[in-house]
């Protein structure tokens, strides 16, 4: 494949995502508030009239070849996002994919909790769908991309990332009900505050294993609660008062997970009400509360993220701050007064470097459209 003179038939742009509130809620059947962002992966496709696919990553400066008759897991992690998607498309529509060449270029930092993985999966799925006119719906693309992550990558993720990446709309948040997949578009107007992501540039290797452990712990809590209250189908449906009946009954850790999930789902719905009333101060307070829960009850934060969130508490120009995404590293999301952004980044970068001897990356984002064909 000629990388410098590649004549693409189709170009897809596939964004990362942020999540304002509702963390670790998607796989518990509740409400989340994500959005697609302006940072994205660009994927160029061209058919090659064979049964082989050649995929080249400009960022990794490496390529690999896929035999469509042998869609198996690879030892190289990023390749699995591509392989998994092709495998699942092939499951739904056998023989619908033929050979193609694809060049991938990304301005999404990896492992930073803004879902470069979902961006890649959904970008591949949408591109292949267009290239071979397979006719998959957005919901099929969202679900099969999630399934790719389960079977090929091994993270039992929920549906939020893929949903936000595909369905995102410029300047809007998605209030997504993860059980029904119904969603409401909420105008994202934080003026005069803007969204600043602070990338800790750490990615603790607990991320994937502990993620799956949290899922199991939630399932354990739900099954115990269902013995007394069979009517609850998801942990997010269980009211906080009912969870509290299980204090001392459930092991402390399991109890804490359930309490967090029930509180966070409620918090998300409350946050949307505040946002609709333009009550940004209380919206920000709920973001801080979400972090407290993730840190102390759900235990998916880390020292680096806790430090960053704590630093912002003394700044009256920051509305809210919390860890974002799966946890154990990656980014915090912050709502910062636009006139103070430079001061904010300068101060917090210096104190972070002094404390951890690591350089922070700040990412100013706006809310953009979901995965789309641009040519
Ligand atoms: C990861 C997963 C999502 C979601 C978040 C936590 O990003 O991929 O499904 O569970 O963590 O909210």
């Amino acid at each position: 494949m000629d990388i410098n003179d590649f004549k693409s038939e189709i170009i897809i742009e596939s964004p990362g995502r942020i999540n304002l509130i509702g963390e670790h809620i998607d796989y518990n059947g509740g409400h989340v508030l994500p959005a697609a962002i302006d940072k994205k992966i660009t994927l160029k496709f061209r058919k090659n009239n064979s049964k082989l696919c050649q995929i080249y990553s400009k960022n990794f400066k490496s390529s690999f070849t896929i035999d469509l008759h042998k869609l198996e897991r690879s030892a190289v992690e990023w390749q699995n996002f591509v392989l998994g998607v092709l495998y699942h498309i092939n499951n739904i529509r056998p023989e619908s994919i033929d050979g193609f060449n694809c060049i991938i270029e990304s301005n999404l930092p990896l492992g930073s909790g803004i879902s470069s993985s979902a961006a890649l999966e959904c970008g591949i799925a949408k591109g292949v769908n267009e290239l071979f006119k397979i006719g998959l719906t957005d919901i099929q693309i969202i679900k099969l991309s999630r399934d790719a992550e389960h079977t090929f990558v091994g993270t039992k993720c929920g549906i939020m990332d893929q949903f936000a990446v595909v369905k995102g709309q410029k300047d809007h948040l998605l209030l997504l009900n993860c059980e029904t997949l119904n969603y409401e578009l909420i105008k994202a107007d934080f003026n005069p505050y803007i969204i600043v992501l602070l990338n800790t540039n750490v990615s603790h290797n607990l991320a994937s294993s502990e993620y799956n452990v949290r899922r199991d712990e939630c399932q354990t809590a739900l099954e115990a609660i269902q013995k007394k209250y069979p009517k609850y189908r998801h942990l997010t449906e269980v009211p906080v008062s009912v969870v509290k009946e299980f204090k001392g009954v459930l092991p402390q850790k399991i109890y804490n997970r359930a309490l967090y999930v029930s509180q966070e789902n409620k918090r998300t719905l409350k946050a949307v009400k505040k946002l609709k009333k333009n009550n940004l101060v209380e919206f920000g307070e709920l973001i801080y509360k979400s972090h407290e829960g993730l840190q102390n009850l759900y235990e998916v934060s880390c020292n680096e993220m806790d430090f960053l969130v704590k630093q912002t508490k003394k700044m009256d120009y920051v509305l809210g701050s919390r860890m974002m995404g799966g946890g154990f590293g990656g980014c915090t999301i912050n709502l910062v007064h636009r006139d103070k952004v430079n001061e904010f980044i300068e101060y917090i970068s210096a104190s972070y470097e002094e404390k951890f001897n690591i350089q922070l990356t700040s990412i100013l984002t706006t809310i953009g459209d979901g995965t789309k064909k641009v040519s």
Side-chain angles (χ1 to χ4, degrees), residues 143-174:
K143 288 186 174 168
L144 75 86
S145 298
R146 180 222 25 216
D147 293 346
E149 194 132 342
H150 286 203
T151 51
F152 274 65
V153 185
T155 310
K156 304 275 181 231
C157 65
I159 196 103
M160 171 174 80
D161 299 352
Q162 291 78 9
F163 202 96
V165 162
V166 171
K167 288 292 192 187
Q169 274 193 30
K170 192 168 167 43
D171 298 331
H172 287 85
L173 307 172
L174 306 174

Side-chain angles (χ1 to χ4, degrees), residues 84-135:
V85 164
L86 299 183
Y87 172 88
H88 283 281
I89 294 180
N90 203 40
N91 257 359
I92 306 178
R93 300 282 166 83
E95 305 294 324
S96 61
I97 314 171
D98 274 321
F100 64 92
N101 295 346
C102 175
I103 295 187
I104 302 168
E105 189 170 9
S106 168
N107 66 6
L108 281 177
L110 297 176
S112 56
I114 52 181
S115 219
S116 51
S117 51
L120 177 54
E121 291 150 5
C122 299
I124 291 283
K126 201 130 193 162
V128 168
N129 192 38
E130 294 277 346
L131 196 62
F132 298 107
K133 312 231 173 318
I134 301 176

Side-chain angles (χ1 to χ4, degrees), residues 47 174 201 231 239 271 288 351 360:
K47 290 186 213 108
L174 306 174
N201 287 319
K231 65 176 177 183
Y288 275 120
S351 53
L360 196 68

Side-chain angles (χ1 to χ4, degrees), residues 17 19 22-27 115 149 157-161 211 325-326:
R17 67 99 189 87
N19 185 27
E23 214 65 89
H24 284 272
I25 288 301
D26 54 354
Y27 56 85
S115 219
E149 194 132 342
C157 65
I159 196 103
M160 171 174 80
D161 299 352
Y211 186 93

Side-chain angles (χ1 to χ4, degrees), residues 291-358:
H291 184 81
E292 261 170 49
L294 288 158
Q295 178 183 351
N296 301 318
L297 295 175
Y298 215 65
E299 297 181 283
V300 288
S301 189
C302 61
N303 290 340
E304 292 85 351
M305 294 198 289
D306 293 341
F307 174 83
L308 289 179
V309 172
K310 197 164 166 205
Q311 290 290 302
T312 68
K313 287 199 173 152
K314 52 187 183 204
M315 303 167 176
D316 57 6
Y317 54 82
V318 177
L319 271 186
S321 171
R322 65 174 196 84
M323 59 147 279
M324 191 181 74
F328 304 102
C331 289
T332 61
I333 180 167
N334 306 270
L335 286 170
V336 184
H337 195 288
R338 64 164 178 249
D339 297 343
K340 297 285 190 175
V341 169
N342 291 341
E343 184 180 320
F344 170 70
I345 293 173
E346 225 168 88
Y347 176 83
I348 209 151
S349 305
S351 53
Y352 184 74
E353 191 165 354
E354 192 184 314
K355 170 98 179 158
F356 296 104
N357 204 14
I358 304 171

Side-chain angles (χ1 to χ4, degrees), residues 216-228:
D216 291 346
E217 288 169 341
C218 288
Q219 188 58 28
T220 305
L222 178 63
E223 282 167 16
I225 293 170
Q226 280 172 331
K227 284 202 179 115
K228 190 163 171 203

